[in-house]
């Protein structure tokens, strides 16, 4: 959770909020950063859904509803750690088939960093992205309770680096 100091440089806004010095404290919670990041991720072209299981289903539905902030889905699907001046973000995403994943990851990082830093003043130091599935059009009727990213090699040491 980020707190701003009542006097001196504001830790959550990097000193950019000149008019608020000495007039109180602003606290930015993990949930706020998770919501902002989740919305920014869903706005990125090529992302089909954010999160797995129930949070994925909720995010896919609420993220496409007009005017919806999908804040509860974003909090479950996006994990954040907020310090006094910095934040780190972890997210699981399902991508649209045909989307270059490495390019999408760069777009997500850029969009989330710009949005979170602009809205909160916190420095985004890390965004870890797990691509757990590829959405293939027409496969919406399949059961999503299968493989959750586990290894199919039968355990043991990794086969690739």
């Amino acid at each position: 959770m980020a707190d701003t100091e009542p006097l001196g440089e504001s830790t959550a806004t990097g000193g950019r909020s000149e008019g608020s010095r000495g007039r109180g404290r602003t606290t930015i919670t993990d949930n706020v950063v998770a919501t902002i990041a989740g919305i920014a991720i869903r706005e990125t072209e090529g992302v089909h859904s954010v999160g797995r299981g129930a949070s994925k289903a909720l995010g896919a539905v609420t993220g496409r509803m007009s005017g919806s902030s999908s804040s509860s889905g974003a909090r479950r699907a996006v994990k954040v750690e907020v310090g006094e001046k910095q934040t780190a973000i972890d997210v699981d995403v399902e991508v649209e088939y045909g989307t270059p994943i490495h390019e999408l990851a760069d777009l997500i990082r850029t969009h989330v960093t710009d949005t979170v830093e602009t809205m909160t003043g916190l420095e985004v130091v890390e965004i870890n992205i797990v691509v757990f599935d590829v959405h293939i059009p027409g496969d919406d009727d399949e059961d999503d309770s299968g493989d959750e990213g586990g290894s199919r090699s039968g355990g043991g040491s990794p086969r690739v680096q």
Side-chain angles (χ1 to χ4, degrees), residues 105-127:
D106 289 342
L107 286 172
I108 291 170
R109 286 185 178 98
T110 299
H111 189 53
V112 170
T113 298
D114 291 348
T115 304
V116 169
E117 288 183 353
T118 299
M119 291 186 70
T120 67
L122 295 167
E123 176 188 9
V124 177
V125 295
E126 181 176 87
I127 300 175

Side-chain angles (χ1 to χ4, degrees), residues 54-84:
S55 66
K56 173 185 165 186
L58 180 63
V61 171
T62 60
R64 286 174 170 64
M65 291 173 50
S66 177
S68 172
S69 70
S70 62
S71 62
S72 62
R75 284 194 298 269
R76 285 188 215 112
V78 180
K79 306 294 183 210
V80 301
E81 182 179 339
V82 178
E84 289 183 28

Side-chain angles (χ1 to χ4, degrees), residues 112-145:
V112 170
T113 298
D114 291 348
T115 304
V116 169
E117 288 183 353
T118 299
M119 291 186 70
T120 67
L122 295 167
E123 176 188 9
V124 177
V125 295
E126 181 176 87
I127 300 175
N128 297 309
I129 301 167
V130 174
V131 178
F132 68 89
D133 203 357
V134 175
H135 177 258
I136 301 169
D139 282 359
D140 293 334
D141 296 333
E142 288 187 16
D143 181 25
D144 288 335
S145 64

